[in-house]
Amino acid sequence: MRPDPPAGVPGAGRVNRRSDRLHRRVSPVLIGAITLITLVALGPLMALVVVFAGDPGGPADVLVLGPALPDDSGVKVTATIIGVSPSAGETRVRLVVGVSGSFSADGLPSEDLVLRVNDVRGANRYDLPAGQAVDPIEATLALADGQVIRYPFDRYVSSLVVVAAEAATSPENRLLVPVSVDLLAAVDSFRFTAGPSEGLFAQTPEASAVDVEISRAREVVFYAVAMMLLMWALAAAGLAMAWVVVIWGDEPPFWAYAYTVGVLFALPPLRGSLPGQPPPGTLVDYVAFYWAVAVTALTLLVLLGAWFFQARRQRHLVTAGEEPAAAEPPAAPPPG
């Protein structure tokens, strides 16, 4: 690197000025701005690469594969979770029933069978007539151990119990049929974890029971938390503006009222954009939405009050024949 010429040498000032300009150009602020612009520009591209390079999977996620049927003979049920309603405390499951082995004739039941499911609607008995195709069955299961008011951190537990038996004249003479259940999930915005039940309805060859834990997907939690932070940021910005006007005595900027009114109208759509459409009174409302609305409304009232106060003061001065004192010009510097 060429050293700077000493003082008094022609061209020394130009070199120093050029060095100062170069130093200003490569300031930390400039480096930070370039980094931020690069991340913003490459962020969508990286997201596309991650999405398309990931495992495409299928329309449904496999949660549990049921045990093999004894001698490959019995009732095979493929259950798919197709809906979760935390507000109603229910989850909907579609059951596709098939028979195999000694209970099958050309893929149809060879004898009359009865399928029982723990459907909370009460219609928990489904007849499978011999020689007839079995239509898909929709059952409604209960959600337990969870409250929707904890959105987006709410968690639930549900259980699916399926029992098959031969249809007989008297219930005491019915023989249980081996049954196996595969559980899948095809619901967005939720995350599922399942396993064989170990409680009252433990897994047996004649009864298949599966416990499911349901929680919000990570993307939903991230989005809900981001919306809460955004609500607070919008409200805090308005509150800081009101602080400057009231404490420092500055005049409200002309756009202050439009900002606060705009935030008041923007908060409900932000709340309504939350995935899953949580009902009023959830954690998001008490932590962010209600407070943001209250703070923004108070900010608007404070700004209007400050404007009325300043307008009244100016009116009083004009009526009294006084003019606000003008700022004195700065004193001239003493001569050299």
Side-chain angles (χ1 to χ4, degrees):
M1 183 175 181
R2 183 181 303 174
D4 295 340
V9 177
R14 288 197 304 272
V15 174
N16 291 336
R17 286 194 297 270
R18 189 181 301 112
S19 177
D20 292 341
R21 288 196 300 268
L22 181 61
H23 177 72
R24 288 195 296 268
R25 290 176 183 174
V26 195
S27 63
V29 176
L30 180 60
I31 295 175
I34 294 176
T35 303
L36 180 60
I37 293 174
T38 303
L39 292 177
V40 172
L42 295 181
L45 180 60
M46 295 176 61
L48 287 175
V49 172
V50 171
V51 170
F52 285 102
D55 184 10
D61 298 329
V62 179
L63 303 180
V64 173
L65 295 178
L69 295 171
D71 301 328
D72 195 24
S73 181
V75 177
K76 185 67 175 181
V77 178
T78 301
T80 305
I81 301 175
I82 57 175
V84 178
S85 177
S87 301
E90 299 175 346
T91 179
R92 293 184 297 113
V93 181
R94 179 183 294 118
L95 308 177
V96 178
V97 183
V99 292
S100 61
S102 59
F103 299 95
S104 172
D106 297 331
L108 303 177
S110 59
E111 55 184 293
D112 294 338
L113 301 176
V114 175
L115 193 72
R116 291 194 175 273
V117 183
N118 58 326
D119 193 330
V120 296
R121 297 175 304 175
N124 54 10
R125 173 194 167 109
Y126 302 94
D127 294 326
L128 310 181
Q132 296 185 16
V134 181
D135 295 330
I137 300 170
E138 286 198 9
T140 303
L141 310 179
L143 296 179
D145 298 339
Q147 295 178 333
V148 71
I149 61 174
R150 296 183 179 180
Y151 177 95
F153 305 105
D154 47 339
R155 296 175 177 271
Y156 308 92
V157 176
S158 186
S159 298
L160 172 64
V161 182
V162 180
V163 179
E166 296 179 351
T169 305
S170 56
E172 59 272 10
N173 294 330
R174 289 177 181 167
L175 299 177
L176 296 179
V177 176
V179 61
S180 178
V181 174
D182 295 340
L183 184 60
L184 294 76
V187 181
D188 297 330
S189 304
F190 287 94
R191 183 174 55 178
F192 302 88
T193 304
S197 178
E198 299 179 356
L200 179 63
F201 299 98
Q203 189 84 23
T204 63
E206 293 80 17
S208 187
V210 180
D211 291 337
V212 186
E213 294 183 2
I214 306 174
S215 60
R216 303 285 176 174
R218 296 184 181 90
E219 296 80 3
V220 173
V221 176
F222 175 81
Y223 185 83
V225 172
M227 286 299 101
M228 288 191 287
L229 295 177
L230 178 60
M231 292 176 188
W232 267 117
L234 294 174
L239 188 62
M241 182 170 50
W243 176 275
V244 171
V245 171
V246 175
I247 303 301
W248 294 356
D250 289 356
E251 184 178 354
F254 68 92
W255 48 264
Y257 312 103
Y259 173 83
T260 51
V261 172
V263 171
L264 283 177
F265 278 94
L267 287 175
L270 287 177
R271 167 63 174 79
S273 68
L274 294 175
Q277 296 294 322
T282 60
L283 182 66
V284 173
D285 298 318
Y286 289 111
V287 172
F289 178 67
Y290 292 159
W291 287 101
V293 171
V295 169
T296 305
L298 180 62
T299 299
L300 178 59
L301 295 178
V302 169
L303 292 176
L304 290 175
W307 180 81
F308 282 124
F309 177 79
Q310 293 183 4
R312 183 175 179 275
R313 182 173 177 272
Q314 295 291 339
R315 180 68 177 175
H316 176 73
L317 293 177
V318 172
T319 304
E322 301 178 2
E323 294 292 339
E328 296 183 359

